[in-house]
Amino acid sequence: MKKRSRGKNLSSAEKASQAIDEALRENRKSRWIREEVLILGAPGSGKTTLLRQLRIIYDPYTEREREDFKPRIRSSVLHALRQLDLLLPAETPSILRILDSSPTETLVLTEEIATLIHDWWSRPDIQNISSHLSLDPSIMHFLDRILPIMAKDYLPSDADILFCHIDPSPALDQLDIPFSEETRYRPILNCVCVRQSLGSIHKWLPIFGEISHVIFVFNLNDYDDLEDTRKTFDLWEYIYSSRFMRYAHIYLIVNQPSTFASKLTTHSLNSTYPDAEPDISPAAAQAFLLRRFAEQDYSGRSSWRIPRWTVDLMDTEGVRVAMRNLMEELVQTRLVTVCGL
């Protein structure tokens, strides 16, 4: 007796049954590969930058969304101007005094004023003074681009969006990330970024008790601010010791390595941490700080390996590579958990 050829001479009921079986198979495959990831870190660590980079890489901003950023980016120009004015020496000619405007919140940015700011910022004496200041890269970015930003046909670039500090982001933001564009059945990461107060963490962390993966963002460049560093390690300690995160796999993203290395030349690690060696290399200084993460010993988890990636979160290609490696690590962790491999 001949076997019926698959897909040929099937009744409507048999075709429907096959379609249902295929849908169930796809559902079973996609069910275990959809993972929720919680993104945490102290204020200023780079959580928002990481989420924006993930949007740029995996779900690019639409033209309408870029248009929505324009008011915030133009406000960021004024914010950059105010920050620069606070850092300039008192004898330096201030653009705010030239414009007879203080504080900058009262200044309305027009094309004419943007031209005056651009001409002032381009002066050799201002450029020379600014080169000796520890300026946030966003200040230089927005002042360098003030004329294009004020153009009538301006559409924010990816860099403009990444540098934008004026951000009315929700307390909780989410983004789905596909693992690979080449594979049909791929893990989907549902990234949840929390911007709630660290003071109320005991209230909101239990909500995420069933999440099995946490990305913790640490900004190396905060090493000379003991208050910010204390917040980072207090948050890490709380998460690492929390019974709600007991079975969560934690991944560490170490942000701003290049800025950190540059900053060490003018502000040694030893001046903030006396137990650090003087004149320490950037690699050794980074290892010194990261040991504080590995030294935690809570709930018997000190033996766990904490995967980490050091990357400048403003570097889109670097973030792309780090996330690819992180997702491969996550998939391997999932296989071990589910299949016992």
Side-chain angles (χ1 to χ4, degrees), residues 23 35 83 106 153 159 177 196 271 284 290-292 299 318 325:
E35 300 287 347
Q83 294 299 108
T106 63
D153 60 348
I177 303 174
Q196 290 281 5
S271 63
L290 293 181
R291 274 199 299 273
R292 293 173 177 261
S299 307
N325 293 334

Side-chain angles (χ1 to χ4, degrees), residues 16-83:
S17 177
Q18 283 193 356
I20 292 172
D21 290 342
E22 180 65 20
L24 289 173
R25 279 194 295 271
E26 290 194 13
N27 184 56
R28 282 194 295 271
K29 288 178 180 179
S30 64
R31 185 181 303 163
W32 73 265
I33 60 176
R34 183 176 181 84
E35 300 287 347
E36 288 190 326
V37 179
L38 190 62
I39 300 177
L40 295 175
S45 60
K47 302 186 300 294
T48 298
T49 303
L50 175 58
L51 201 66
R52 287 178 181 175
Q53 283 283 25
L54 299 181
R55 276 295 312 269
I56 289 168
I57 295 170
Y58 299 102
D59 184 21
Y61 289 101
T62 64
E63 184 172 330
R64 174 63 181 273
E65 288 172 323
R66 292 178 188 273
E67 287 283 350
D68 291 341
F69 265 100
K70 285 170 67 172
R72 285 181 270 167
I73 288 171
R74 286 171 175 165
S75 294
S76 293
V77 173
L78 297 178
H79 176 77
L81 196 62
R82 176 165 59 97
Q83 294 299 108

Side-chain angles (χ1 to χ4, degrees), residues 14-263:
E14 288 173 318
K15 289 180 180 179
S17 177
Q18 283 193 356
I20 292 172
D21 290 342
E22 180 65 20
L24 289 173
R25 279 194 295 271
E26 290 194 13
N27 184 56
R28 282 194 295 271
K29 288 178 180 179
S30 64
R31 185 181 303 163
W32 73 265
I33 60 176
R34 183 176 181 84
E35 300 287 347
E36 288 190 326
V37 179
L38 190 62
I39 300 177
L40 295 175
S45 60
K47 302 186 300 294
T48 298
T49 303
L50 175 58
L51 201 66
R52 287 178 181 175
Q53 283 283 25
L54 299 181
R55 276 295 312 269
I56 289 168
I57 295 170
Y58 299 102
D59 184 21
Y61 289 101
T62 64
E63 184 172 330
R64 174 63 181 273
E65 288 172 323
R66 292 178 188 273
E67 287 283 350
D68 291 341
F69 265 100
K70 285 170 67 172
R72 285 181 270 167
I73 288 171
R74 286 171 175 165
S75 294
S76 293
V77 173
L78 297 178
H79 176 77
L81 196 62
R82 176 165 59 97
Q83 294 299 108
L84 176 61
D85 193 66
L86 293 173
L87 295 171
L88 289 174
E91 65 275 10
T92 305
S94 167
I95 184 61
L96 295 182
R97 287 194 293 272
I98 294 172
L99 296 172
D100 192 27
S101 175
S102 182
T104 54
E105 284 81 353
T106 63
L107 182 64
V108 177
L109 194 60
T110 63
E111 289 188 59
E112 181 182 359
I113 290 178
T115 300
L116 291 173
I117 295 173
H118 173 266
D119 293 344
W120 171 83
W121 173 244
S122 301
R123 286 169 45 171
D125 59 331
I126 300 298
Q127 286 290 303
N128 181 57
I129 294 170
S130 299
S131 66
H132 293 87
L133 300 175
S134 297
L135 295 181
D136 188 288
S138 64
I139 295 177
M140 302 184 68
H141 174 83
F142 285 122
L143 292 180
D144 285 342
R145 281 183 49 78
I146 188 168
L147 292 183
I149 286 173
M150 289 306 300
K152 293 180 180 179
D153 60 348
Y154 167 67
L155 192 67
S157 66
D158 289 341
D160 293 339
I161 292 173
L162 290 173
F163 275 118
C164 180
H165 287 321
I166 311 300
D167 184 22
S169 297
L172 186 147
D173 206 353
Q174 298 187 69
L175 175 67
D176 281 349
I177 303 174
F179 171 65
S180 170
E181 297 177 357
E182 290 77 26
T183 55
R184 183 179 179 187
Y185 304 111
R186 55 184 183 262
I188 301 293
L189 301 191
N190 177 230
C191 293
V192 181
C193 182
V194 180
R195 301 184 184 86
Q196 290 281 5
S197 167
L198 300 184
S200 60
I201 187 173
H202 61 286
K203 296 180 180 179
W204 55 260
L205 189 63
I207 298 173
F208 304 100
E210 295 183 359
I211 284 184
S212 54
H213 303 280
V214 175
I215 295 177
F216 191 92
V217 184
F218 171 50
N219 190 345
L220 281 171
N221 210 31
D222 288 340
Y223 75 93
D224 60 337
D225 189 321
L226 287 176
E227 180 63 20
D228 284 349
T229 306
R230 182 190 61 79
K231 289 179 181 179
T232 295
F233 290 119
D234 285 353
L235 176 60
W236 173 267
E237 177 180 342
Y238 190 91
I239 293 168
Y240 208 72
S241 60
S242 172
R243 62 189 178 90
F244 301 106
M245 298 285 110
R246 183 181 180 91
Y247 299 105
H249 297 275
I250 303 177
Y251 311 88
L252 185 61
I253 295 288
V254 183
N255 187 21
Q256 293 199 346
S258 56
T259 310
F260 171 70
S262 176
K263 195 172 183 178

